[in-house]
Amino acid sequence: MKSIQRYCNYGDLKNCCFAAFIVVLSGCASLLPHSKEDVRTPWNSYAEARALFDSIIVYSTTTEQLKALGVNAQTTPNVAILSHADLLRKITAGSSLDIRLLDTELQSCLMENKTCVAYELEQKHLERKRFGNFWLDFLNFHRRVDITGWQFDAIVVVKHGRVIYKLWSGKPNIQELQEERNPLGPLQGLGGSLLRR
């Protein structure tokens, strides 16, 4: 800012504008958007979610104990109750798995769902940060997004008030880079929209 004042004091309009332009450009990277995506649950990290899951003991943990741990579809955000068909699809995951090879208690839950309740816990924390040249990003020529975070998913099946099955999957350390290049910048895709008219 002192250099701008120096140029402007001498009345040199060109140098004054150029110095101001350089200062503005140097701060442009901070103008790029930054976003965060949180699937809200009581667990603030991957480690917390995993610790909760590990504390659930098959054939021992009761429905009341699950509620005390925070697995309660009525009060805990983003805890889903799965239907019979949803549970079957998630356990087999599109494979040709014969359900007769599964635990007998789980088989009975998959065959008829009247005495069983299945809960699905989904927790995700993602941060998206755009970086690089502000003007190339702003004009849609070159956009780069750094994605970091973690994800934890679990299924807990309860029969007659007691856990009979649990399954989990997760990504403790998500690191992705999304990059998009458009040689025509803001005009990219304009031809298609004009043709549709």
Side-chain angles (χ1 to χ4, degrees):
M1 291 303 291
K2 286 182 181 178
S3 60
I4 295 174
Q5 289 171 354
R6 184 164 57 85
Y7 282 123
C8 293
N9 288 339
Y10 289 120
D12 188 342
L13 188 59
K14 275 187 184 177
N15 287 338
C16 182
C17 292
F18 180 73
F21 184 69
I22 294 298
V23 170
V24 169
L25 276 183
S26 66
C28 280
S30 63
L31 298 176
L32 289 172
H34 178 94
S35 67
K36 187 186 289 187
E37 180 184 345
D38 264 321
V39 175
R40 297 180 67 84
T41 56
W43 312 290
N44 299 313
S45 66
Y46 179 89
E48 278 187 30
R50 182 64 198 273
L52 157 85
F53 186 81
D54 289 343
S55 67
I56 298 170
I57 302 166
V58 176
Y59 298 119
S60 175
T61 303
T62 64
T63 306
E64 291 308 311
Q65 289 170 327
L66 275 181
K67 288 179 180 178
L69 291 169
V71 183
N72 186 342
Q74 277 69 44
T75 58
T76 308
N78 301 304
V79 174
I81 299 175
L82 298 178
S83 70
H84 166 215
D86 288 335
L87 179 61
L88 180 60
R89 186 170 59 252
K90 286 183 181 290
I91 288 176
T92 57
S95 68
S96 54
L97 175 70
D98 188 346
I99 64 169
R100 290 174 297 183
L101 299 175
L102 298 171
D103 178 88
T104 12
E105 294 285 350
L106 183 58
Q107 281 184 47
S108 67
C109 284
L110 292 171
M111 302 301 267
E112 53 89 22
N113 207 27
K114 291 177 183 176
T115 57
C116 300
V117 180
Y119 300 103
E120 182 178 29
L121 295 76
E122 289 184 312
Q123 171 120 34
K124 181 165 53 176
H125 174 85
L126 293 177
E127 289 194 35
R128 291 180 174 83
K129 187 175 182 182
R130 297 225 303 248
F131 67 99
N133 185 289
F134 171 79
W135 292 108
L136 291 179
D137 185 298
F138 180 72
L139 296 171
N140 201 31
F141 283 104
H142 186 198
R143 183 166 292 166
R144 291 189 291 174
V145 185
D146 187 35
I147 302 171
T148 58
W150 55 272
Q151 181 176 346
F152 185 85
D153 302 316
I155 293 173
V156 178
V157 182
V158 177
K159 183 177 182 181
H160 297 305
R162 202 169 296 275
V163 174
I164 59 142
Y165 179 81
K166 66 177 189 173
L167 177 71
W168 73 276
S169 65
K171 296 178 182 178
N173 186 19
I174 296 173
Q175 291 188 354
E176 297 176 15
L177 173 65
Q178 288 181 350
E179 191 163 4
E180 182 183 341
R181 291 178 184 271
N182 296 310
L184 299 178
L187 301 177
Q188 196 80 34
L190 188 60
S193 62
L194 289 175
L195 287 173
R196 283 194 293 273
R197 290 180 187 176

